[in-house]
Amino acid sequence: MTEALCDRRPEPTLERLLADLVPPPRFSRARLENYVPDPAFPSQEEAKQLVSEFAAQLGRPTGGFLAKLRRRPRTARGIYLDGGFGVGKTHLLTSLFHAVPGKRVYGTFVEYTDLVGALGFQRAVELLGESVLVCIDEFELDDPGDTLLMTRLIRELSDRGVAVVATSNTLPDALGEGRFAAQDFLREIQAMAERFQVLRIDGEDYRRRDGVAEIRSLAEPTVREHAEEQTGSTLDDFDELLSHLTTVHPSRYGALIDGVASAHVTGLHGLTHHHDALRFVVLVDRLYDREVPALISSGPGAGIVEDLFAPELLRSGYRKKYYRALSRLASLAHDGSGLLTGGSADPAGERSA
């Protein structure tokens, strides 16, 4: 019988949480050398040069006897890569991770908040404070508690001399805009923003340039038959999956799909509420990170999925997350369709975001 994600209740250990602080499989091959800037958008070349120079600076020896005598470390500066989805921000972030020697960690925003919850704030600062570099992907502040937590974490790491580099779809002084009363936390947000050199990266979604623009829905019998025939596949009803996601912390969605070779979902339909939509976005991100093809059915026949996120969601403060999820799910569904024709899932390629 084919397994369902709904049957899984991951409880990752602290050791697992720490071991996961590395770039996911999709970005394991990302390097500065294979990031190819689009000449139509000069900011991409500028970002590549900035990250290259930053990597060289972090890799330069700064030790010595006198340096060890300093009582207080210098406050470290960081980089904040802002831009739309699909322009290569995550590729650049993981390239930096691979280019810098010494201890460094990499994780998404929710992975860091979960780590702080597991360790306690001070222990997390001490542990992460041993790093040369902390990489934070998908920096999005969705509630006041996370705002206070992450801004304080960045300040304390920076004061210890740890370089922090983050990617986001939102400029630092606009974090939380349209989602909660960001003005109440403006001082905290601005204090964090002062630690970064902010660079806006413009460009088009590379997945659209590759011809992957629409989410393909397959006939439901086709999805079910493929799931039953394949080793390592999972099969879930969409509504049951959404319900199950409410019982699993988003930071554990990576563990939820451990060992999954292909994910199959039937009954996909439009989403109208943020709480369901945002959890599904995180699941799509983790499937994309781990290069897990998706075979999707939204009805009895094949077609194109439209209006997955309601118009009011796409006009909200979370709109950039939703558009990124649409792009990534289209890519995963494209890979899933390729499995039916004997093709293989297309890995990250030269530029991933």
Side-chain angles (χ1 to χ4, degrees):
M1 182 177 178
T2 304
E3 187 182 10
L5 294 177
C6 291
D7 297 330
R8 297 183 169 201
R9 287 169 174 77
E11 295 288 343
T13 63
L14 177 58
E15 290 73 19
R16 166 65 189 270
L17 294 176
L18 296 174
D20 279 350
L21 292 180
V22 295
R26 181 174 291 273
F27 303 100
S28 63
R29 299 172 296 278
R31 298 294 186 276
L32 288 167
E33 293 77 14
N34 56 32
Y35 177 82
V36 182
D38 187 338
F41 298 95
S43 60
Q44 293 186 14
E45 177 62 35
E46 182 182 353
K48 181 177 180 178
Q49 292 302 317
L50 175 63
V51 171
S52 299
E53 293 168 5
F54 196 77
Q57 183 181 27
L58 289 180
R60 191 176 301 131
T62 57
F65 180 72
L66 292 178
K68 293 179 181 178
L69 292 180
R70 289 185 303 176
R71 292 186 177 182
R72 296 184 64 185
R74 64 178 177 82
T75 298
R77 298 287 295 175
I79 300 176
Y80 191 100
L81 299 174
D82 169 70
F85 54 89
V87 298
K89 301 186 304 296
T90 301
H91 187 124
L92 289 169
L93 184 66
T94 52
S95 296
L96 176 63
F97 177 94
H98 293 303
V100 173
K103 184 175 180 180
R104 61 265 194 264
V105 293
Y106 176 104
T108 62
F109 178 82
V110 294
E111 286 173 326
Y112 285 112
T113 56
D114 192 39
L115 182 69
V116 172
L119 290 174
F121 184 84
Q122 198 54 46
R123 180 72 183 104
V125 170
E126 292 171 359
L127 182 67
L128 298 175
E130 299 172 356
S131 305
V132 175
L133 170 69
V134 170
C135 299
I136 306 175
D137 199 21
E138 302 170 13
F139 201 112
E140 292 284 353
L141 302 183
D142 293 341
D143 63 68
D146 285 344
T147 301
L148 295 174
L149 175 69
M150 291 304 290
T151 54
R152 182 185 170 198
L153 180 65
I154 287 173
R155 282 201 316 273
E156 296 212 15
L157 292 176
S158 178
D159 288 344
R160 289 172 177 244
V162 179
V164 179
V165 179
T167 70
S168 179
N169 297 322
T170 309
L171 291 169
D173 58 3
L175 287 168
E177 184 178 29
R179 283 164 277 183
F180 58 84
Q183 64 273 15
D184 295 340
F185 302 90
L186 190 59
R187 183 173 61 182
E188 292 285 344
I189 293 172
Q190 288 177 337
M192 180 193 71
E194 291 171 357
R195 309 293 174 117
F196 290 108
Q197 177 178 353
V198 179
L199 181 63
R200 171 78 185 186
I201 307 177
D202 300 307
E204 300 174 350
D205 180 6
Y206 86 99
R207 288 175 286 267
R208 286 186 174 272
R209 293 200 306 273
D210 291 343
V212 182
E214 298 173 316
I215 302 171
R216 294 195 170 275
S217 171
L218 304 169
E220 183 170 328
T222 301
V223 173
R224 291 185 175 278
E225 290 171 9
H226 187 269
E228 293 170 358
E229 294 170 355
Q230 303 302 312
T231 302
S233 65
T234 58
L235 175 63
D236 291 270
D237 171 78
F238 188 53
D239 282 325
E240 292 178 1
L241 179 59
L242 291 176
S243 178
H244 182 60
L245 293 180
T246 67
T247 69
V248 181
H249 190 276
S251 64
R252 301 181 180 185
Y253 289 5
L256 182 70
I257 61 173
D258 275 352
V260 175
S262 55
H264 302 68
V265 178
T266 62
L268 189 78
H269 59 75
L271 296 170
T272 58
H273 298 290
H274 286 300
H275 54 270
D276 284 333
L278 289 171
R279 280 189 286 264
F280 186 60
V281 164
V282 178
L283 180 63
V284 170
D285 285 341
R286 299 294 78 80
L287 290 169
Y288 184 80
D289 285 345
R290 287 158 176 77
E291 300 179 318
V292 179
L295 288 84
I296 297 168
S297 170
S298 60
I304 301 299
V305 176
E306 297 180 350
D307 302 324
L308 179 58
F309 299 114
E312 57 269 25
L313 300 186
L314 296 177
R315 291 192 297 267
S316 72
Y318 300 106
R319 59 189 175 277
K320 292 181 180 179
K321 282 188 174 186
Y322 295 141
Y323 280 115
R324 182 187 69 210
L326 290 172
S327 174
R328 289 183 166 185
L329 188 56
S331 179
L332 294 174
H334 173 78
D335 293 344
S337 296
L339 296 179
L340 298 175
T341 58
S344 58
D346 185 21
E350 288 192 321
R351 298 180 56 244
S352 305

